[in-house]
Amino acid sequence: MFARLTVLLALLCATPALAQQNVRVPVEQGGRTVQLAAQLFRPAKATAALPAVALFHGCGGPGQNTARMAGLLASWGYAALVVDSFSARGLKDVCGRNWPTEAAAEARAGDIDATLAWLAKQPGIDPQRLGYMGYSYGGGVAMLRALSGKPEDRTPSAARAVVLVYPDCALADALGPRLAVRQPTFFAMGALDDWTPVSQCRAVLERVVRGRELVETKVYENAHHSFDALGLPVRYLDGVGNRSKPGGCCGAHYGAHEPAWKQFVVDVKAFLEKALKP
């Protein structure tokens, strides 16, 4: 534990001062406007229009992992927006036995569209250099926008980079048998993940018939689901829904693997530098 704290303190001390702002992102849903709570992180002394990355949380809502990643992004020179898809809708945690349906995931995917449109209009943001990251269930939701079930569709993506962090790849089943990748996309997965297993994501990639060259993948050895949940020992959650099991129930391992997280940080930084360069 002392070693982990030392690493975190070193990161904080090395991070430039950040500007942080609470904002609201409007999303049209069912004939009404839902105002999603969000936190916008920026480098404190930005002098030019910034590339921006939106972060979409998993089934437990925003957490320390998304806030930590946003801080790192800002320290690298990006604006980072952590979006809370749940609180405005009266949700706290949807990890229980009734795992979110594909219909619920598709409805939430509208948050990505609205967020990118909102970011593109913000002062100090470069609308031509936008990206987004999705975690777990949020990663599966993000996949619904990163991939297209219509390979013949040449409509450009609103984002230039997508990072899918241990994504729920089973959600892509709704997209159909032939897929297209719309922009550079990075899959980050844990080799020991039994909640959103690597095998499901590999099956998705086998269906990609256009844009496969835009995909990068990394499987982190000895890592379970939520390998970036620093300080949380791996444990088994026996009551959570699990789309990878028969009937969607139940149980999965969850917890940190610090070596995987450290390499993940290096990999994401390199991917974004390449995909969002001016």
Side-chain angles (χ1 to χ4, degrees):
M1 179 62 74
F2 178 77
R4 291 194 185 97
L5 291 174
T6 301
V7 170
L8 290 174
L9 287 172
L11 281 171
L12 291 172
C13 291
T15 300
L18 307 178
Q20 189 174 336
Q21 179 185 7
N22 293 326
V23 297
R24 297 279 175 176
V25 176
V27 178
E28 297 301 319
Q29 179 181 324
R32 66 188 183 98
T33 301
V34 178
Q35 297 286 343
L36 301 183
Q39 284 191 311
L40 181 62
F41 296 70
R42 299 176 187 248
K45 296 182 179 180
T47 58
L50 299 170
V53 179
L55 294 91
F56 295 90
H57 58 76
C59 63
Q64 293 182 359
N65 62 337
T66 50
R68 184 187 305 113
M69 192 70 234
L72 284 171
L73 287 165
S75 76
W76 299 339
Y78 301 90
L81 183 70
V82 179
V83 180
D84 178 357
S85 292
F86 283 0
S87 61
R89 297 181 170 109
L91 302 172
K92 292 183 179 179
D93 188 326
V94 296
C95 300
R97 295 176 67 88
N98 297 317
W99 189 249
T101 64
E102 290 182 349
E106 178 56 46
R108 186 185 170 195
D111 294 0
I112 296 175
D113 304 328
T115 297
L116 294 178
W118 183 87
L119 276 171
K121 297 176 182 177
Q122 299 311 301
I125 300 296
D126 184 346
Q128 302 303 315
R129 292 194 290 158
L130 302 179
Y132 56 93
M133 299 178 64
Y135 290 73
S136 189
Y137 165 52
V141 170
M143 187 182 304
L144 296 176
R145 287 300 181 263
L147 306 181
S148 172
K150 300 178 180 179
E152 69 283 358
D153 184 3
R154 301 285 174 167
T155 304
S157 171
R160 278 180 47 184
V162 176
V163 179
L164 305 174
V165 191
Y166 38 85
D168 181 2
C169 285
L171 285 172
D173 290 350
L175 293 174
R178 300 176 73 249
L179 304 176
V181 179
R182 305 177 61 204
Q183 65 289 296
T185 301
F186 177 56
F187 285 73
M189 301 166 283
L192 302 182
D193 196 326
D194 58 356
W195 205 348
T196 56
V198 173
S199 59
Q200 289 186 337
C201 293
R202 286 179 174 154
V204 170
L205 293 177
E206 288 174 357
R207 290 153 51 201
V208 173
V209 297
R210 184 169 65 83
R212 182 63 179 83
E213 72 280 0
L214 298 174
V215 176
E216 296 183 31
T217 63
K218 188 64 177 285
V219 178
Y220 300 100
E221 296 302 319
N222 302 312
H224 289 86
H225 196 81
S226 295
F227 56 76
D228 58 338
L230 298 185
L232 181 68
V234 174
R235 57 196 177 104
Y236 188 74
L237 306 176
D238 58 7
V240 297
N242 188 333
R243 211 185 307 275
S244 70
K245 291 189 174 183
C249 193
C250 283
H253 289 86
Y254 168 101
H257 189 261
E258 192 168 317
W261 175 74
K262 288 180 178 178
Q263 186 59 50
F264 166 73
V265 169
V266 172
D267 294 339
V268 170
K269 185 178 183 181
F271 172 77
L272 292 176
E273 285 177 350
K274 180 171 56 177
L276 295 179
K277 61 185 177 182

